[in-house]
């Protein structure tokens, strides 16, 4: 049994953890919406159920990317980057919310997204994934 000559960098592991966190949050909220649509009394049960199913499906995207990052697969960087960029949209909306109770949630979502982006574009991560910088011809 031979040891891997180049261990996975800590930034890549952290990037996978952040992507996984986003995936778990999406799936968790999707399950909540789905259950409330089925068992609760939402204003629109169909909308709650479809929203829940959509969030569960969208949550699979960063979870698959997190697994790919843990396995040092270069293809996983794209879905993870897209997920973090898309998370900035609800973060911005929450920050501009008229309800001051939602502002801290927006801050957390924004910080998680920016942290994930920063980890994914670091040179340590790109090197570990075998992504070469563009040539300067």
């Amino acid at each position: 049994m031979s040891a891997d000559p180049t261990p996975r960098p800590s930034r890549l592991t952290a990037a996978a953890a952040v992507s996984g966190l986003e995936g778990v949050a999406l799936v968790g909220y999707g399950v909540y919406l789905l259950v409330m649509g089925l068992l609760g009394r939402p204003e629109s049960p169909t909308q709650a159920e479809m929203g829940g199913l959509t969030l569960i499906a969208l949550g699979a995207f960063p979870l698959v990317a997190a697994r790919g990052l843990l396995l040092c697969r270069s293809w996983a960087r794209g879905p993870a980057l897209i997920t973090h960029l898309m998370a900035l949209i609800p973060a911005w909306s929450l920050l501009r919310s008229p309800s001051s109770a939602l502002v801290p949630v927006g801050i957390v979502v924004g910080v998680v997204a920016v942290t994930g982006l920063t980890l994914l574009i670091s040179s340590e991560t790109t090197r570990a994934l075998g992504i070469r910088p563009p040539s300067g011809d």
Side-chain angles (χ1 to χ4, degrees):
M1 191 176 202
S2 65
D4 188 1
T6 55
R8 182 177 55 242
S10 59
R11 287 187 185 195
L12 184 55
T13 304
V18 171
S19 291
L21 174 70
E22 286 181 342
V24 167
L26 284 168
V27 169
Y29 190 55
V31 168
Y32 169 77
L33 285 178
L34 184 60
V35 168
M36 293 312 294
L38 293 171
L39 304 176
R41 303 225 184 270
E43 206 171 289
S44 171
T46 305
Q47 188 175 5
E49 292 161 8
M50 287 308 299
L53 289 173
T54 301
L55 286 177
I56 291 169
L58 288 174
F61 197 59
L63 289 173
V64 170
R67 178 155 168 72
L69 291 171
L70 284 174
L71 297 173
C72 296
R73 305 288 193 257
S74 61
W75 61 262
R77 185 173 177 242
L81 283 170
I82 291 167
T83 301
H84 298 310
L85 286 170
M86 294 302 291
L88 293 173
I89 297 167
W92 180 254
S93 296
L94 290 167
L95 287 171
R96 297 181 46 113
S97 172
S99 169
S100 61
L102 294 177
V103 172
V105 177
I107 292 170
V108 170
V109 171
V111 167
V112 168
V114 170
T115 300
L117 287 168
T118 304
L119 290 167
L120 286 169
I121 63 172
S122 76
S123 58
E124 182 181 346
T125 300
T126 54
R127 248 190 328 274
L129 294 175
I131 299 169
R132 293 192 176 104
S135 61
D137 294 333

